[in-house]
Amino acid sequence: MRLATWNVNSIRTRVDRVTDWLQRADVDVLAMQETKCSDDQFPTMPFAALGYDVVHCGFNQWNGVAIASRVGIDDVQVGFADQPKWSAKPDVEPTAEARAVTATCGGVRVCSLYIPNGRSVDSEHYVYKLQWLAALRETAASWLTEDPSAPIALMGDWNIAPTDDDVWDVEVFRGSTHVTEAERAAFGSIVDSGFVDVVRPFTPGPGVYTYWDYTQLAFPKRRGMRIDFILGSPALAGRVRHAEIVRDERKGKQPSDHAPVLVELADSI
């Protein structure tokens, strides 16, 4: 079974690229982030033509998460317990954003996550980000408590570079979001609750990134960040036999600014 995650940065703009890669990479389940569309705007038909069922959570042109699966989609859950709410306007009631959707696909509990960016360390959005991560940690830990043998994949754009090696020059980002101690501690708390970064053992070392900004020739200059991850429960981590960051998908015409991250699972431990 092959699982992948990809911040597609507008699925309507890149649906042909995404579906083409699904076929070439022989992916069974794809978690997508930043789809940037409402549910009724999602281009379901190209996925259906390839045999994929899709579940999507999107309310407008911002955020948006989805799961495409050719091995079934069951027990769909939009959001998660105590997911924090957000409003950019003080006179507008906060609501839960389209940042999490979970489903069981081929026996694996797959969670597509788009963690808030945080914007700047003095922003309310940064506080919201840390609250969001704390609530996710409690939910994910509770899943393991309820069933320690459950195969679970927390997949997506985490908007955190957990180590200095995960950014091309940490001094450039010093004092900015994505690399602060609080964000890294929040990421680490989810790992400490029992989840494992199942991709890093197959893609070690500095200079291994999943995101490159569109500006200032960041991609050819290898000025990237590693912010997209698949964290697996013990039952899932024990089945991983291959993983990779598909850097070549950042190339070509109208690419996303993120590359897909892919893992291959054995049938059993």
Side-chain angles (χ1 to χ4, degrees):
M1 186 174 178
R2 292 166 71 84
L3 310 178
T5 184
W6 197 356
N7 179 322
V8 296
N9 192 9
S10 180
I11 187 59
R12 287 178 292 173
T13 299
R14 279 172 261 282
V15 62
D16 290 342
R17 284 196 64 134
V18 172
T19 52
D20 176 66
W21 181 72
L22 281 176
Q23 295 178 84
R24 288 187 286 109
D26 195 26
V27 174
D28 295 299
V29 181
L30 175 65
M32 290 170 274
Q33 302 84 42
E34 216 173 348
T35 56
K36 294 185 176 180
C37 64
S38 60
D39 288 346
D40 61 352
Q41 294 173 322
F42 189 93
T44 302
M45 291 307 297
F47 291 90
L50 299 177
Y52 290 86
D53 298 315
V54 176
V55 59
H56 177 256
C57 173
F59 308 130
N60 47 41
Q61 75 273 26
W62 308 110
N63 309 317
V65 285
I67 299 171
S69 170
R70 63 182 184 186
V71 291
I73 294 183
D74 300 302
D75 302 323
V76 175
Q77 178 184 351
V78 172
F80 54 88
D82 299 321
Q83 178 180 330
K85 299 178 180 180
W86 171 258
S87 174
K89 300 178 180 178
D91 57 338
V92 176
E93 187 72 17
T95 58
E97 295 185 295
R99 292 185 176 276
V101 64
T102 306
T104 299
C105 306
V108 175
R109 194 69 175 157
V110 173
C111 194
S112 180
L113 300 166
Y114 182 40
I115 280 72
N117 178 280
R119 299 180 184 170
S120 64
V121 294
D122 59 352
S123 166
E124 285 297 316
H125 204 262
Y126 177 77
V127 177
Y128 165 61
K129 178 179 188 174
L130 296 178
Q131 293 172 338
W132 206 96
L133 286 161
L136 174 63
R137 190 264 180 205
E138 293 305 308
T139 293
S142 72
W143 291 342
L144 288 183
T145 298
E146 292 167 7
D147 184 1
S149 66
I152 304 169
L154 307 179
M155 311 168 66
D157 177 357
W158 292 76
N159 272 316
I160 299 171
T163 75
D164 287 355
D165 282 347
D166 295 327
V167 60
W168 69 275
D169 184 349
V170 72
E171 292 305 319
V172 172
F173 294 89
R174 192 73 69 188
S176 302
T177 60
H178 293 56
V179 301
T180 66
E181 290 185 11
E183 290 166 289
R184 289 177 170 183
F187 184 93
S189 72
I190 296 174
V191 173
D192 291 342
S193 72
F195 288 86
V196 178
D197 180 347
V198 298
V199 179
R200 195 178 294 271
F202 296 87
T203 57
V208 181
Y209 308 130
T210 65
Y211 163 83
W212 303 260
D213 192 86
Y214 287 126
T215 64
Q216 299 179 335
L217 299 175
F219 183 68
K221 291 181 178 179
R222 298 183 177 272
R223 294 178 175 177
M225 302 179 77
R226 184 176 186 142
I227 57 175
D228 302 84
F229 298 93
I230 299 175
L231 301 187
S233 65
L236 183 124
R239 292 171 54 186
V240 175
R241 62 186 184 189
H242 173 74
E244 62 183 286
I245 296 166
V246 192
R247 188 179 184 276
D248 282 353
E249 290 306 310
R250 179 59 175 80
K251 301 176 182 178
K253 184 179 180 180
Q254 288 191 312
S256 170
D257 44 3
H258 294 250
V261 180
L262 172 71
V263 298
E264 185 171 332
L265 305 180
D267 291 338
S268 60
I269 296 177

